[in-house]
């Protein structure tokens, strides 16, 4: 089948208007959010239903054409970007955007994969429920992308990752069959839990077209506090204490290192940082209280008072209103973007057991300072999950290109330390193409072989997002 026959066949699957082919039209789909990867798509197709996805995949399967599924394109690991060959089709889920059904009695919502995360949150709140997955890209990222990357975000501590919030999935297999696993069950022990294979598979096993997600009762009040701390060790101690104090009401425990603050202020000068002096670590704590506003505030005030009294913290503020709490979150949510605007930074999305976070941070900072004098350790993240975005910025007066040229050395140093602390080199952003080879370096060989076996079983022709997550299959 030549190119024009392929485009005509795709048009028959989804309608001519929904097959993009010119470089101008396909360009936004061919580059990732970080502008680190750029590829070239043979075409971008946007099916509007599961049946249309199936038709596209049947065609791609028959013609042996690789397919890269793309949701909101906010992924951090280049997972949704086609390669440069011009032979891959990008399948955009943006038209799979219906909220199919809310079952308030079962506390579930069934949505299509292209629904934007924020729209699910809104739909849940309209029926008096909470959909707790929350992350800074929630205005653009999609549920399909969230599930395909097993997204984390700011409420994992209380509600878990995307994986923990999905009860059922609908998936189109690489040969175009539709698996309807849209079960809204909290118990189902009928064999292998296939949905868990697709969750976190980054588009390498099939296309997720819809999901049944869990809803929760919304809290009566949410309040946020920010505390300044002398060290990461103090932050870990504080987390332990706040956990015991707040129990399940603790929904987020985030940390921000000192080096993040000037970068945020430079790129978002209108945002007011609440503290005069720069301290090593700031903790952002959120409680979701099921009693009342007053109870939420009093609980946080007690936490702050105790932390100050015991000299775990040096200062703190409490968001006295929803708006003030929101403003504190806004600071946290703009850190990624501020660092992207700053440029010349080397990102890491790592996790270590919470008990080892302080040792990891101390060792990494020390070794990086020794090897890369002046480098700024602008780490922040979800301490409650042991997950830090351990980003290293070029020294202020350094040549950014020369610094970034040493990226592999920085990665090796950080990831070797992660390994030494029994951690993971990709906590919530997935492997995509960014971490594929490094993951193979650190993963147990048996685990890697089992993963290859799963890929071979579910996508024997290797058509789904080739080159992502796993390298080429070993011979034989
Ligand atoms: C400012 C900012 C903050 C972020 N914060 C967080 C955070 O706190 N926590 C976090 O986990 N992530 C975070 N991210 C990363 C990103 O938002 C998440 O990975 C998100 O889940 C990706 O969703 P998406 O729809 O944009 O997916 P895309 O970027 O389009 O795709 C990501 C991967 O999923 C695959 N995929 C997408 N849709 C499907 C589907 N329907 N079926 C099968 N495969 C599919 C793609 O092929 C690709 O491999 C952040 C990103 C930004 C820009």
């Amino acid at each position: 089948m030549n190119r024009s026959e392929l485009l005509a066949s795709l048009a028959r699957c989804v309608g001519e208007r929904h097959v993009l082919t010119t470089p101008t039209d396909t360009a936004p789909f061919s580059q990732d959010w970080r502008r680190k990867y750029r590829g070239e798509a043979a075409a971008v197709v946007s099916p509007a239903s599961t049946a249309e996805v199936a038709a596209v995949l049947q065609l791609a399967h028959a013609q042996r054409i690789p397919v890269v599924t793309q949701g909101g394109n906010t992924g951090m690991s280049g997972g949704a970007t086609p390669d440069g060959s011009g032979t891959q089709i990008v399948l955009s889920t943006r038209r799979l955007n219906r909220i199919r059904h809310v079952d308030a009695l079962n506390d579930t919502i069934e949505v299509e994969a292209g629904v934007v995360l924020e729209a699910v949150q809104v739909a849940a709140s309209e029926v008096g429920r909470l959909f707790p997955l929350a992350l800074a890209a929630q205005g653009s990222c999609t549920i399909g992308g969230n599930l395909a990357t097993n997204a984390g975000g700011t409420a994992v501590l209380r509600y878990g990752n995307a994986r923990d919030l999905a009860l059922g999935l609908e998936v189109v297999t690489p040969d175009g069959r539709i698996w309807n696993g849209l079960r809204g069950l909290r118990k189902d022990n009928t064999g292998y839990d296939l949905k868990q294979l697709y969750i976190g598979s980054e588009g390498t096993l099939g296309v997720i077209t819809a999901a049944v997600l869990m809803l929760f009762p919304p809290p009566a009040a949410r309040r946020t506090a920010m505390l300044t701390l002398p060290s990461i060790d103090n932050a870990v101690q504080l987390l332990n204490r706040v956990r015991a104090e707040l129990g399940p009401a603790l929904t987020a425990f985030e940390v921000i290192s000192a080096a993040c603050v000037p970068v945020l202020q430079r790129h978002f000068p209108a945002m007011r940082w609440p503290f005069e002096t720069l301290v090593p670590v700031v903790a952002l704590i959120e409680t979701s209280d099921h009693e009342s506003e007053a109870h939420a505030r009093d609980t946080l005030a007690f936490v702050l008072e105790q932390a100050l009294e015991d000299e775990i913290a040096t200062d703190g503020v409490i968001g006295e209103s929803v708006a003030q709490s929101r403003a504190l979150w806004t600071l946290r949510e703009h850190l990624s973007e501020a660092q992207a605007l700053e440029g010349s930074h080397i990102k890491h999305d790592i996790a270590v057991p919470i008990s080892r976070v302080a040792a990891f941070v101390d060792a990494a900072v020390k070794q990086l300072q020794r090897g890369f004098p002046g480098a700024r350790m602008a780490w922040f993240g979800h301490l409650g999950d042991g997950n830090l975005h351990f980003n290293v910025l070029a020294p202020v007066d350094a040549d950014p290109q020369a610094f970034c040229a040493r990226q592999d050395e920085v990665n090796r140093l950080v990831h070797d330390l992660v390994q030494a602390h029994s951690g993971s080199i990709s906590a919530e952003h997935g492997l995509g193409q960014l971490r594929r080879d490094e993951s193979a370096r650190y993963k147990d060989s048996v685990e890697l072989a089992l993963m290859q076996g799963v890929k071979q079983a579910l996508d024997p022709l290797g058509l789904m997002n080739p080159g992502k997550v796993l390298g080429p299959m070993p011979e034989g």
Side-chain angles (χ1 to χ4, degrees):
M1 186 179 267
N2 64 31
R3 180 172 158 77
S4 59
E5 286 166 344
L6 169 68
L7 298 181
S9 300
L10 287 170
R12 278 194 291 279
C13 297
V14 298
E16 202 171 336
R17 276 192 321 127
H18 306 297
V19 182
L20 306 178
T21 54
T22 67
T24 318
D25 287 342
T26 57
F29 301 86
S30 305
Q31 188 172 45
D32 72 318
W33 186 84
R34 293 175 61 195
R35 297 177 189 278
K36 194 174 170 63
Y37 298 100
R38 175 182 279 286
E40 196 188 326
V44 176
V45 286
S46 303
S49 66
T50 305
E52 287 188 3
V53 174
V56 170
L57 290 199
Q58 278 161 22
L59 174 67
H61 188 259
Q63 298 300 320
R64 308 293 193 255
I65 297 168
V67 176
V68 179
T69 308
Q70 191 175 103
N73 200 15
T74 67
M76 293 281 195
S77 307
T81 312
D83 69 13
S85 66
T87 59
Q88 302 186 333
I89 297 173
V90 170
L91 188 154
S92 165
T93 60
R94 64 190 175 156
R95 292 176 68 228
L96 293 170
N97 58 6
R98 280 166 290 264
I99 292 182
R100 289 184 182 168
H101 179 56
V102 181
D103 185 343
L105 283 181
N106 195 40
D107 266 331
T108 49
I109 186 167
E110 184 180 318
V111 301
E112 292 183 350
V115 176
V116 169
L117 170 55
E118 205 165 67
V120 182
Q121 297 167 345
V122 170
S125 78
E126 280 169 1
V127 293
R129 296 291 190 278
L130 172 77
F131 181 62
L133 191 67
L135 44 120
Q138 63 197 25
S140 319
C141 65
T142 62
I143 285 299
N146 299 150
L147 291 166
T149 58
N150 184 26
T154 51
V156 172
L157 181 58
R158 164 71 179 86
Y159 298 100
N161 295 297
R163 185 183 293 292
D164 304 298
L165 301 170
L167 293 178
L169 287 190
E170 180 184 81
V171 173
V172 179
T173 62
D175 56 3
R177 288 173 294 154
I178 299 169
W179 170 48
N180 183 338
L182 289 168
R183 297 185 275 262
L185 301 174
R186 284 162 179 84
K187 286 190 168 181
D188 178 14
N189 274 349
T190 52
Y192 305 135
D193 192 351
L194 292 182
K195 71 174 178 295
Q196 296 298 358
L197 277 181
Y198 290 103
I199 297 173
S201 67
E202 300 183 53
T204 61
L205 300 179
V207 179
I208 298 169
T209 47
V212 176
L213 306 168
M214 283 162 77
L215 301 178
F216 295 83
R222 271 186 184 172
R223 279 292 178 276
T224 304
M226 245 189 188
L227 278 68
T228 60
L229 308 163
S231 71
I232 183 68
D233 189 41
N234 289 104
V236 175
Q237 284 179 46
L238 182 65
L239 167 63
N240 194 32
R241 173 189 276 240
V242 174
R243 248 188 158 144
E245 193 63 48
L246 302 188
L250 178 64
T251 32
F253 193 111
E254 305 278 308
V255 283
I256 302 171
S257 73
C260 296
V261 180
V263 178
L264 184 71
Q265 288 174 323
R266 187 159 35 256
H267 298 287
F268 295 99
M271 288 185 187
R272 208 183 71 77
W273 185 253
F275 306 108
E276 295 290 322
T277 46
L278 213 53
V279 292
V281 185
V282 165
L284 180 75
I285 303 173
E286 183 187 86
T287 177
S288 293
D289 198 288
H290 283 270
E291 280 191 34
S292 64
E293 301 264 349
H295 190 257
R297 201 227 164 266
D298 292 350
T299 314
L300 280 185
F302 179 74
V303 164
L304 175 57
E305 205 178 285
Q306 291 289 302
L308 291 173
E309 211 172 285
D310 298 343
E311 297 181 357
I312 290 180
T314 48
D315 197 2
V317 292
I318 295 177
E320 295 289 343
S321 60
V322 173
Q324 278 182 17
S325 288
R326 199 58 237 130
L328 295 177
W329 267 117
T330 303
L331 297 168
R332 161 66 185 87
E333 285 164 1
H334 281 76
L335 295 176
S336 265
E337 212 173 325
Q339 294 189 3
L341 292 168
E342 183 85 350
S344 61
H345 65 309
I346 302 174
K347 288 166 84 74
H348 306 100
D349 168 40
I350 64 97
V352 294
I354 294 167
S355 52
R356 303 186 71 175
V357 169
F360 163 78
V361 169
D362 288 343
V365 168
K366 235 179 246 147
Q367 291 188 24
L368 285 164
Q369 272 168 351
R370 215 169 27 236
F372 307 86
R376 292 169 287 164
M377 318 305 167
W379 49 266
F380 61 93
H382 320 293
L383 180 65
D385 320 323
N387 171 203
L388 293 183
H389 302 304
F390 197 88
N391 300 342
V392 186
L393 273 59
V396 178
D397 49 1
D399 168 7
Q401 277 181 348
F403 177 75
C404 287
R406 298 186 68 191
Q407 172 165 309
D408 289 350
E409 283 175 72
V410 174
N411 288 343
R412 182 57 51 82
L413 187 155
V414 172
H415 289 159
D416 279 357
L417 274 172
V418 167
Q419 175 87 343
H421 288 81
S422 309
S424 164
I425 66 158
S426 183
E428 61 175 11
H429 291 163
L431 298 175
Q433 47 187 311
L434 176 72
R435 297 289 181 228
R436 184 193 81 175
D437 295 339
E438 270 166 288
S439 163
R441 175 184 166 82
Y442 294 106
K443 251 194 198 312
D444 173 84
S445 59
V446 175
E447 189 175 359
L448 209 52
L450 291 170
M451 281 172 61
Q452 297 274 15
V454 170
K455 171 76 176 172
Q456 181 65 34
L458 297 188
D459 179 24
L461 299 182
L463 295 175
M464 302 308 301
N465 214 1
K468 317 291 168 48
V469 180
L470 290 169
M473 292 284 178
E475 296 290 318

